[in-house]
Every structure is written in structure tokens, then in C-alpha cells.
């Protein structure tokens, strides 16, 4: 077996990228307020900010787009997509949305009352924010192993069933309008969830009559991990595994910008007719008529093809092989990452790499800024900048347990030599880690602050007793 299968495609169209010189990178970063979301795309050499909406589409997807039916209602493209969704996920009702968070918005608006709770293995930032925006409380019940970054567990995205059961009994099932699970677990290292765990979680939600929704952005990558790591599924096709996964749920939310292999799109699917009717009204209010939901007909065509292409095993083995390649090279250089590698990204343990920077000074953001300055690489912070929040009782900041920097790999975009370059820049950065300074916030909105926050490096920072102190303030 080939350990890192080569790309199962050839490149037909190219987009030039250039590396700006160090001085230009420094002034770009300053202008962006030390927030990588503030950079312009041309200022970046390798963009690993996200794997979302940045994939390369296939020739079949591009040609299907020409067949897009742009009718306001009843478009042919809608029915094509409906057939594919039926085949893979088999929910009786679905609604297209312009992306995943629109599906989250609709679901949370329809179901959550202020003060209620929504458990999951781990919510991602937009899901968490949508729940909070409706006055709800997102609750993470991930297994403890997920927090030990160098511990091997085949399904580190699993939800801890004991924690879930205790939580439901503590707050009462009537205060939980629905429960979730995210596959793969993006906020915790892109780690998969086993079918055994999905079954057990579904059983608990059923027992308490709590509707169960899967956040399915990376469902195919998760299904491939099941095939590789859960022996009874070794002989099953990805489609068969998906059928088993989704048969356990009452519905799903999907950002097609990931495993839909498209640049825009999403959907919401469910079994319950009255929820579908309520969600359709919300959709019409915010997104569009239920047969297009905020997308063009051509987008629906591209999703319909992408959802089938993503199930191909040569694609999935190349995809997981590529991430694994990056993980192996980084580990060889002694860079701490979440192990084992997930499918869509590598997560560097910035807290471990920069122990002199306390959580309040954003070690993940400091590392992400440095990677851009060192080599024009854009990554994303998944730590205190994105996930710390004020405790509603004490107003003290509650920090996430891990301070991570995510290197998300766009689908079908970068080659192995791009990844070799990333390894080189990371090892140069790690070699001078003690010189990297913490960051301070100068502006931040209340919700989803990492997207628009402005920061500044802590000037004249001195290292004392393993803590970074601001010598000025
Ligand atoms: N759920 C998960 C697990 C996600 O990773 C994302 C997006 C969403 C929901 C929302 O989907 O972007 O289409 O609105 N994650 C992207 C990322 C943004 O970079 O991980 P969306």
C-alpha cells in the first residue's frame, strides 16, 4: 500500500501565487491589525486559513454549472441535488442554504428558547455563536482523551456518553431542544467519531426524546476514518457507511463548502415535517425560496456532483494521506501537534510550543502571526482568541483547554512541495520560539471576536518565570 497516495487528478488550470518580501509582509500584518482575517489574498503565499469554500472543483462540476436551472421555483437543479441528498443521507426533507451557518441559524431559531442547552461532542465557532445568539448554552461533552494532544486514540472526536447522560439528567431533557455531534470534530483537531459512538449517542438522545442533529461538514472524511479504523466496516463502501451514520439521526446541518467540494453552499435536512414547515418559512425570510435557498441553480448542480465525488475512495485516501504526510514531517522536526492527524487540518499545539506566553496573551495568535511574517503562510488560531468567553456569573474569561493553530488544507489545491515549504517555515519558526511575543487585544466585538478583532504585539515583553510580562504596562 502506498503511504501517501499521489493526487488522483491532473492540474488543468493554475492560479499564480507569490511570496512578498519580509518588509511587505510586516506592513501588511500591521495594517491587518495582527489579525490574519484582515490580510488580502494577494499578500499570502500559502493559504491554510481554512479548508472551507477553497477547494478546486472538477471539470465535471464546472460543466454541470452550465446546466444550472435558475428558475425561482421548482428548478431542475434542485431536484438533481435532492436526489443525491436522498441517496447519501436519506432524510425526507431538505432545504438548501447559502452556507452552513445559515442552516445553523434556521435550526437554532426554530428550536431554541433562551436558557436552554445544546450538547455536542464539540461545537464549532459559528454553531456555538448561533446557539448563544438565541440565548442558548452550547455544551461540549467530548471524551477527555481529546484534550491530550499527543495521545493516540482512533476516534478522538467521540462524545463521552457518561458525561452526556449525567448532563441531561442534571438539567432535564425538557431544557434540551436538540442534541448534536460534529463529524469530524473541527474544534478539537478534526478528529473522527466512530459509528459505535454515533450509535450510543443516538440511543441516549432517543431515550430522552431529544432530537439528534449531525453537523456533517466533513462527513465523508469521517466515514473514511470509520472504514480504516473500525474493523467491522473495513469491507463497506463509503456510501454504505454514510447510510448507517445518518440513519441514526433526526436531521443534519451541512456546510457544502467542505465535503460538498464547492466554493459556496449548504443545507439543512430533517425527518420532522412540522420542523421542515417552520424552517421553510425561516428560509424564505432570510435565504430564499425552498428550491434554491440563497444559492444559484448552478451552485446546486456543483454540490450535487461534489457530494458524489467526495465519496470516491482514491480521493479520500489521497486526502488523508496528504494531511498525514504533513503531520509526519512536523513530528520529525519536533513540532507538537494533535495526534493522530485529522483529515482536513493539522493542529499545532501553540500552548506547548510557546509556554512563555500565557493564555491571556494568545499564544496561538502569536504563532499564527509569526508564521505569516516568516514565510507568508496564513493559518488560523483556534484558542483563546476564538473560544474564550466571559463566564455569565463572574464575568471572568473562561479559556479553552488547548491553544491551537490550525493548518487547514484546502481540497485538491496544494501539492506535496507546498507542504514541504510549510514544514520548512514551521521549523525555522519553532527554532526561535522563545523570541515570539504575546499579543494584546485593542478591539474586539462580543460574538465571534476573532474574525474582526485588532491586536498588537506586547512591546518590550520580557520573559520572567516562564510568563510573558508587559514591561510597558
Ligand atoms: N460546522 C463546522 C464543524 C464547521 O467547521 C463550519 C465552518 C461550520 C459549521 C459553518 O459552516 O462556514 O459554511 O457557514 N467551518 C469553517 C472552518 C469556516 O474554517 O473551519 P459555513
Amino acid at each position: 500500500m502506498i503511504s501517501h497516495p499521489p493526487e488522483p487528478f491532473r492540474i488543468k488550470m493554475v492560479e499564480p501565487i507569490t511570496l512578498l518580501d519580509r518588509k511587505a509582509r510586516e506592513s501588511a500584518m500591521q495594517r491587518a491589525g495582527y489579525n490574519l482575517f484582515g490580510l488580502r489574498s494577494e499578500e499570502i503565499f500559502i493559504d491554510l486559513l481554512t479548508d472551507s469554500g477553497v477547494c478546486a472543483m472538477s471539470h465535471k462540476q464546472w460543466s454541470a454549472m452550465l446546466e444550472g436551472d435558475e428558475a425561482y421555483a421548482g428548478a431542475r437543479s434542485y431536484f438533481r441535488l435532492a436526489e443525491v441528498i436522498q441517496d447519501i443521507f436519506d432524510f425526507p426533507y431538505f432545504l438548501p442554504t447559502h452556507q452552513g451557518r445559515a442552516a445553523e441559524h434556521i435550526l437554532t431559531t426554530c428550536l431554541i428558547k433562551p436558557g436552554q442547552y445544546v450538547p455536542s461532542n464539540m461545537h464549532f465557532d459559528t454553531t456555538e455563536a448561533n446557539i448563544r445568539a438565541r440565548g442558548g448554552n452550547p455544551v461540549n461533552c467530548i471524551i477527555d482523551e481529546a484534550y491530550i494532544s499527543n495521545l493516540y486514540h482512533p476516534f478522538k472526536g467521540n462524545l463521552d456518553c457518561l458525561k452526556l447522560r449525567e448532563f441531561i439528567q442534571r438539567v432535564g431533557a425538557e431544557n434540551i431542544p436538540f442534541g448534536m455531534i460534529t463529524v469530524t470534530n473541527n474544534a478539537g483537531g478534526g478528529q473522527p467519531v466512530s459509528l459505535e459512538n454515533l450509535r450510543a449517542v443516538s440511543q441516549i438522545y432517543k431515550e430522552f426524546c431529544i432530537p439528534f442533529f449531525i453537523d456533517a461538514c466533513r462527513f465523508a472524511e469521517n466515514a473514511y476514518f470509520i472504514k480504516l479504523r473500525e474493523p467491522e466496516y473495513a469491507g463497506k463502501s463509503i456510501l454504505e457507511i454514510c447510510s448507517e451514520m445518518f440513519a441514526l439521526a433526526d436531521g443534519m446541518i451541512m456546510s457544502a463548502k467542505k465535503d460538498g467540494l464547492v466554493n459556496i453552499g449548504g443545507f439543512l435536512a430533517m425527518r420532522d415535517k412540522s420542523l421542515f414547515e417552520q424552517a421553510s418559512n425561516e428560509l424564505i425570510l432570510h435565504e430564499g425560496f425552498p428550491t434554491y435557498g440563497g444559492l444559484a441553480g448552478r451552485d446546486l448542480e456543483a454540490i450535487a456532483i461534489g457530494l458524489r465525488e467526495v465519496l470516491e475512495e482514491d480521493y479520500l485516501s489521497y486526502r488523508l494521506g496528504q494531511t498525514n504526510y504533513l503531520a509526519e514531517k512536523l513530528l520529525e522536526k519536533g513540532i507538537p501537534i494533535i495526534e493522530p492527524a485529522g483529515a482536513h487540518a493539522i493542529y499545532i499545539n501553540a500552548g506547548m510550543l510557546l509556554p512563555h506566553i500565557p493564555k491571556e496573551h494568545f499564544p496561538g495568535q502569536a504563532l499564527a502571526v509569526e508564521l505569516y511574517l516568516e514565510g507568508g503562510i496564513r493559518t488560523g488560531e483556534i484558542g483563546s482568541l476564538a473560544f474564550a468567553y466571559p463566564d455569565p456569573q463572574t464575568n471572568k474569561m473562561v479559556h479553552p483547554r488547548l491553544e491551537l493553530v490550525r493548518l487547514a488544507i484546502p481540497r485538491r489545491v496544494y501539492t506535496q512541495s507546498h507542504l514541504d515549504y510549510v514544514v520548512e517555515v514551521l521549523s525555522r519558526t519553532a527554532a526561535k520560539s522563545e523570541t515570539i511575543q504575546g499579543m494584546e487585544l485593542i478591539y474586539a466585538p462580543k460574538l465571534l471576536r476573532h474574525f474582526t478583532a485588532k491586536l498588537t504585539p506586547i512591546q518590550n515583553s520580557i520573559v520572567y518565570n516562564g510568563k510573558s510580562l508587559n514591561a510597558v504596562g
Side-chain angles (χ1 to χ4, degrees), residues 37 49-53 98-104 122-127 130 180 182-187 215-218 253-258 264-266 344 347 382 406 408 451:
F37 286 98
L49 180 67
T50 181
D51 62 319
S52 180
H98 79 272
Q99 63 183 82
R101 69 199 68 183
E104 290 166 0
M122 229 177 192
H123 294 284
F124 197 60
D125 58 2
T126 55
T127 330
N130 264 300
M180 292 187 74
T182 311
V183 300
T184 56
N185 177 24
N186 188 9
D215 179 347
C217 305
R218 300 174 181 87
I253 49 173
M254 173 78 190
S255 167
K257 298 170 75 171
K258 287 84 168 170
I264 194 74
H344 76 288
Y347 294 66
I382 307 229
R406 188 182 69 168
F451 288 114

Side-chain angles (χ1 to χ4, degrees), residues 329-444:
K329 296 284 164 193
L330 292 176
L331 286 170
E332 271 168 27
K333 303 277 181 198
I335 293 164
I337 61 168
I338 293 197
E339 292 174 65
H344 76 288
I346 296 295
Y347 294 66
I348 299 166
N349 190 332
M352 212 180 243
L353 192 64
L354 307 175
H356 57 286
I357 305 181
K359 282 174 180 288
E360 299 74 38
H361 293 162
F362 310 113
Q365 187 66 11
L367 178 62
V369 165
E370 195 57 36
L371 289 174
Y372 175 73
L373 295 176
E374 184 65 32
I377 300 170
R378 176 156 71 169
T379 54
E381 192 258 14
I382 307 229
S384 282
L385 184 59
F387 282 105
Y389 66 94
D391 182 293
Q393 257 95 52
T394 63
N395 218 26
K396 268 198 173 151
M397 287 310 270
V398 183
H399 293 270
R401 281 168 70 169
L402 294 176
E403 297 292 337
L404 304 171
V405 168
R406 188 182 69 168
L407 277 55
I409 318 288
R411 291 165 182 79
R412 309 191 287 205
V413 170
Y414 292 117
T415 62
Q416 193 158 308
S417 38
H418 289 120
L419 299 186
D420 288 335
Y421 173 80
V422 171
V423 174
E424 212 180 290
V425 171
L426 251 153
S427 34
R428 283 207 306 263
T429 308
K432 54 172 184 183
S433 58
E434 311 89 68
T435 64
I436 299 175
Q437 304 176 349
M439 313 287 301
E440 242 171 356
L441 272 175
I442 49 180
Y443 160 77

